[in-house]
């Protein structure tokens, strides 16, 4: 069964791998061999769509090194799997925000200025890509990284 896999890079790396050393995952091998086929042996992953955003060096813990490492990782994935992996990028928005100060009990009048970093477009990009792929019948199954879901057949 031809399958397309959709990966939310932010959730994968910051939700699952934040404090691990496993940053250079072979995404295609992991999802193809260990997840998709393990859940449904007749599945044939034809495309892996990786949704991410370029790191902003000025707010990253490792600054420019983090940005360069991410770019190298993306190039490596694209070279290893030029026909199987598609990297689709959103962006990070860095905006000023005025949020509640951390204190007990909370006081809605006690506010502090902070920088708010948010990844933008990933959820919309995933939904649009899945919709387009389903409408064009590019696969028999579309899955996301959380669980295998047969969306079309």
């Amino acid at each position: 069964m031809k399958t397309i896999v959709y990966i939310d890079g932010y959730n994968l790396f910051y939700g699952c791998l934040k404090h691990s050393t496993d940053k250079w995952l072979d995404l295609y091998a992991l999802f193809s061999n260990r997840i998709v086929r393990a859940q449904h042996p007749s599945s044939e992953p034809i495309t892996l769509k990786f949704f991410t955003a370029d790191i902003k060096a000025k707010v990253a813990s490792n600054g420019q090194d983090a940005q360069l490492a991410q770019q190298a990782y993306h190039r490596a994935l694209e070279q290893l799997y030029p026909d199987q992996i598609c990297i689709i990028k959103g962006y990070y928005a860095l905006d000023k925000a005025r949020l509640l100060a951390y204190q007990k009990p909370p006081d809605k009048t006690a506010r502090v200025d902070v920088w708010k970093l948010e990844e933008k477009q990933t959820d919309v990009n995933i939904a649009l890509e899945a919709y387009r792929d389903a409408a064009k019948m590019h696969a028999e199954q579309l899955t996301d990284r959380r669980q295998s879901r047969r969306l079309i057949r």
Side-chain angles (χ1 to χ4, degrees):
M1 179 171 10
K2 292 180 181 176
T3 303
I4 298 175
V5 178
Y6 302 84
I7 299 171
D8 181 331
Y10 184 87
N11 285 332
L12 176 63
F13 284 92
Y14 290 99
C16 300
L17 303 172
K18 184 176 183 176
H19 298 292
S20 87
T21 57
D22 300 325
K23 304 290 193 233
W24 280 68
L25 292 175
D26 183 336
L27 290 176
Y28 189 79
L30 172 67
F31 281 86
S32 175
N33 301 330
R34 301 277 189 226
I35 296 174
V36 173
R37 285 196 184 117
Q39 291 178 359
H40 201 287
S42 68
S43 294
E44 176 195 344
I46 55 171
T47 305
L48 185 147
K49 295 189 177 187
F50 181 48
F51 299 84
T52 187
D54 289 333
I55 291 172
K56 283 190 175 278
K58 65 183 176 184
V59 294
S61 300
N62 295 317
Q64 188 70 25
D65 289 343
Q67 190 177 46
L68 294 172
Q70 182 194 43
Q71 291 169 355
Y73 176 61
H74 292 169
R75 281 193 308 274
L77 288 174
E78 289 171 328
Q79 280 200 325
L80 277 171
Y81 303 104
D83 298 325
Q84 292 88 10
I85 289 185
C86 178
I87 297 175
I88 299 165
K89 293 189 180 180
Y91 65 95
Y92 282 103
L94 183 62
D95 299 309
K96 292 179 191 177
R98 190 154 178 79
L99 302 177
L100 288 176
Y102 182 78
Q103 64 184 43
K104 291 184 182 180
D107 177 0
K108 68 179 181 180
T109 63
R111 303 259 175 182
V112 294
D113 291 328
V114 297
W115 287 106
K116 183 176 160 187
L117 181 67
E118 286 184 292
E119 186 185 35
K120 299 288 189 174
Q121 292 185 335
T122 295
D123 293 337
V124 171
N125 285 340
I126 291 171
L128 289 173
E129 285 293 319
Y131 174 79
R132 286 180 191 128
D133 290 336
K136 293 179 180 180
M137 303 296 273
H138 284 171
E140 298 166 293
Q141 176 173 262
L142 310 174
T143 66
D144 67 20
R145 74 153 189 92
R146 286 169 242 134
Q147 64 185 18
S148 178
R149 294 185 210 165
R150 187 172 300 165
L151 301 177
I152 57 175
R153 178 76 190 203

